[in-house]
Amino acid sequence: MIKVENLVKVFGSLRAVDNISLEVNHGEIVGFLGPNGAGKSTTMKIITCFQTPTTGTASVCGYDIIKDSLNVRKNIGYLPESAPSYPDMSVMSFLGFIASIRGFSGTDAKKSIDRVIQICELEKVLYKKIETLSKGFKQRTSFAQALLHDPKVLVLDEPTDGLDPNQKYIVRKLIRELGKQKTIILSTHILEEVEAVCDRAIIIANGSI
């Protein structure tokens, strides 16, 4: 489902990703484990087509990130680090906005939004502004946008970063449930997180596995 081949990313004199190759198979939850600054987020940004590699390539669901990036994006749900969103929007209006970007309208949009509201348990906060939410609900709102188009692959960057123990438990439980149907790669620097949710770990330091 995800194949990375000889991936290199250079920023000036910094070799952030240094010749990485890896594979993630259907139905796996794989932890991308390493210290801050190891190259985890950069690798994920390349897999999700947010950045282009200096050399090497990757494919998602058989689609190449360079030659067929639109199909890669259609098949990926991406939760970037620190759950970015539009803070002045309500949860409902934000999900409606994401649905329209993803090409949904009318009944299809409503079905997709209702589905992710239920999965992420957002019923209590639908009409609250995102900026007023707890960090846990902000994270779940960003999770919902990543799931809206029912992608085959989920890429999660530090999905429980900054959450309290109860919120971490809820998010980890959600990841385990989603892993029954989807391929998931998640980055973290927390060993306990990998033990809690992942089938296996890929350890990265200084841009190398």
Side-chain angles (χ1 to χ4, degrees):
M1 296 296 279
I2 302 172
K3 188 173 185 178
V4 175
E5 298 178 273
N6 306 116
L7 207 62
V8 174
K9 182 66 177 178
V10 176
F11 298 100
S13 61
L14 174 66
R15 203 172 176 89
V17 178
D18 190 6
N19 199 35
I20 282 179
S21 297
L22 60 91
E23 290 186 14
V24 183
N25 298 312
H26 177 70
E28 274 194 308
I29 305 177
V30 173
F32 211 31
L33 181 67
N36 291 327
K40 303 186 300 296
S41 292
T42 303
T43 302
M44 291 188 148
K45 285 174 183 173
I46 292 170
I47 292 170
T48 54
C49 305
F50 272 83
Q51 289 181 351
T52 53
T54 304
T55 59
T57 190
S59 63
V60 177
C61 300
Y63 299 109
D64 186 274
I65 58 165
I66 307 292
K67 298 173 186 169
D68 212 348
S69 70
L70 194 57
N71 276 318
V72 171
R73 294 166 205 239
K74 284 178 181 176
N75 282 283
I76 278 183
Y78 180 34
L79 176 66
E81 194 175 4
S82 72
S85 57
Y86 292 97
D88 57 336
M89 284 180 134
S90 71
V91 172
M92 193 66 176
S93 59
F94 175 62
L95 293 177
F97 171 62
I98 297 297
S100 67
I101 286 175
R102 287 288 184 181
F104 292 99
S105 60
T107 308
D108 288 341
K110 186 179 185 306
K111 279 183 185 173
S112 297
I113 291 167
D114 288 347
R115 180 177 57 81
V116 297
I117 287 168
Q118 190 173 6
I119 290 169
C120 297
E121 298 180 15
L122 291 168
E123 293 88 351
K124 290 180 184 175
V125 297
L126 282 182
Y127 300 102
K128 291 185 177 179
K129 283 191 173 184
I130 292 171
E131 65 187 356
T132 68
L133 301 180
S134 69
K135 190 149 188 178
F137 273 117
K138 284 178 183 173
Q139 195 77 336
R140 279 148 69 178
T141 300
S142 290
F143 233 122
Q145 68 77 25
L147 295 170
L148 200 68
H149 56 300
D150 198 18
K152 295 176 183 175
V153 174
L154 281 175
V155 177
L156 313 175
D157 196 354
E158 303 278 0
T160 64
D161 190 42
L163 301 185
D164 67 34
N166 188 46
Q167 293 165 341
K168 282 182 182 178
Y169 174 80
I170 291 167
V171 170
R172 287 171 184 172
K173 183 181 172 189
L174 177 58
I175 293 168
R176 283 195 299 269
E177 282 298 310
L178 292 168
K180 293 174 183 176
Q181 295 120 16
K182 301 184 185 300
T183 301
I184 300 176
I185 182 166
L186 67 91
S187 80
T188 182
H189 57 276
I190 306 165
L191 185 58
E192 166 206 335
E193 186 141 289
V194 172
E195 290 178 329
V197 300
C198 297
D199 300 312
R200 64 184 172 96
I202 295 168
I203 298 172
I204 180 172
N206 301 317
S208 298
I209 291 172

